[in-house]
Amino acid sequence: AIQLTQSPSSLSASVGDRVTITCRASQGISSALAWYQEKPGKAPKLLICDASSLESGVPSRFSGSGSGTDFTLTISSLQPEDFATYYCQQFKTYPHIFGQGTRLEIK
Amino acid sequence: VQLVESGGGLVHPGGSLRLSCTASGFTFDSYTMSWVRQAPGKGLEWVSGISGSGTIKYYADSVKGRFTISRDNSRNTLYLQMNSLRVEDTAKYYCAKVKGYNYAADPLDIWGRGTMLTVSS
């Protein structure tokens, strides 16, 4: 199965900061990568699909890039509501593995 | 568009349980559906998926041979039959819809609120 390695596992940042989370696949997955945001007590929310396509309603401060094995999620200017846990997921082949998650905390 | 899971509870190790997920607001039989779980304090783990027709099924290695996914398109309902349950199966189980119409290789765009399974003696 394709494995995903997300880094960092946790990150402290301040409102207004630019942050980047990376996700590396164990083999090439083209652009078949999604990013999700999870907040306590809520279901995960799809932010980005196909590595860089922003879902409808997701603020433009979120962006994704990459293809093949290396991917990034960038938040250009952190807002208070962005403090959450973020996961990548590959959907190139089943099983559709998730990364381990990155917990984004307020500094 | 809504997904509502049910059927969670407390089960002894080795026991069985069936989860259900009732869908509304979309053409259920046109979408691949998945189960994803999250153990307490842990990350998301994809568990199983099933094609819109129900003929193609996928499983994570951790549940293969113990869990069975199925669907009843006449009832707009997805199921997860879980047998030989282990303590490590304790998690909140989410039902989720694959984004693409009649397409299996897509991310999950709609999620339920989850149902909790606790496996403990």
Side-chain angles (χ1 to χ4, degrees):
Chain A
I2 297 171
Q3 300 302 317
L4 296 178
T5 303
Q6 233 181 291
S7 61
S9 56
S10 65
L11 176 59
S12 293
S14 301
V15 172
D17 283 354
R18 177 186 179 91
V19 300
T20 298
I21 298 168
T22 66
C23 182
R24 175 165 289 177
S26 59
Q27 63 190 77
I29 57 171
S30 186
S31 297
L33 189 99
W35 290 97
Y36 299 85
Q37 178 191 66
E38 185 197 32
K39 294 183 177 180
K42 293 195 170 183
K45 175 185 176 182
L46 177 63
L47 298 176
I48 289 172
C49 65
D50 297 329
S52 60
S53 296
L54 211 61
E55 283 293 284
S56 175
V58 174
S60 59
R61 62 181 179 273
F62 290 90
S63 64
S65 65
S67 67
T69 59
D70 293 308
F71 302 86
T72 60
L73 171 69
T74 299
I75 310 172
S76 60
S77 178
L78 275 173
Q79 298 301 301
E81 60 268 30
D82 299 337
F83 292 94
T85 301
Y86 294 86
Y87 295 90
C88 58
Q89 182 201 27
Q90 71 83 19
F91 51 91
K92 177 72 171 175
T93 59
Y94 280 95
H96 286 181
I97 299 289
F98 288 90
Q100 310 98 301
T102 295
R103 184 174 178 182
L104 180 53
E105 300 173 319
I106 301 174
K107 185 182 287 184
Chain B
V1 179
Q2 190 175 15
L3 298 169
V4 179
E5 301 94 337
S6 60
L10 174 62
V11 179
H12 293 307
S16 298
L17 200 67
R18 189 178 78 162
L19 304 182
S20 300
C21 170
T22 302
S24 60
F26 64 99
T27 311
F28 183 67
D29 62 4
S30 294
Y31 291 89
T32 295
M33 298 293 294
S34 287
W35 288 98
V36 175
R37 68 184 181 184
Q38 185 171 38
K42 302 295 184 183
L44 300 174
E45 180 186 12
W46 181 87
V47 172
S48 185
I50 186 168
S51 63
S53 64
T55 55
I56 304 173
K57 303 177 183 183
Y58 313 91
Y59 297 98
D61 287 345
S62 58
V63 306
K64 202 173 292 183
R66 300 188 300 122
F67 290 11
T68 301
I69 192 170
S70 63
R71 64 193 297 162
D72 184 341
N73 288 341
S74 69
R75 296 176 181 269
N76 283 1
T77 303
L78 176 72
Y79 302 102
L80 186 67
Q81 177 66 44
M82 303 180 293
N83 299 331
S84 302
L85 283 164
R86 306 167 179 168
V87 171
E88 54 265 34
D89 295 318
T90 295
K92 177 176 277 192
Y93 285 74
Y94 293 100
C95 160
K97 167 190 163 290
V98 165
K99 180 178 178 182
Y101 179 86
N102 276 335
Y103 193 55
D106 241 15
L108 304 169
D109 65 340
I110 303 296
W111 296 62
R113 301 189 71 168
T115 186
M116 188 68 200
L117 166 69
T118 301
V119 183
S120 175
S121 55

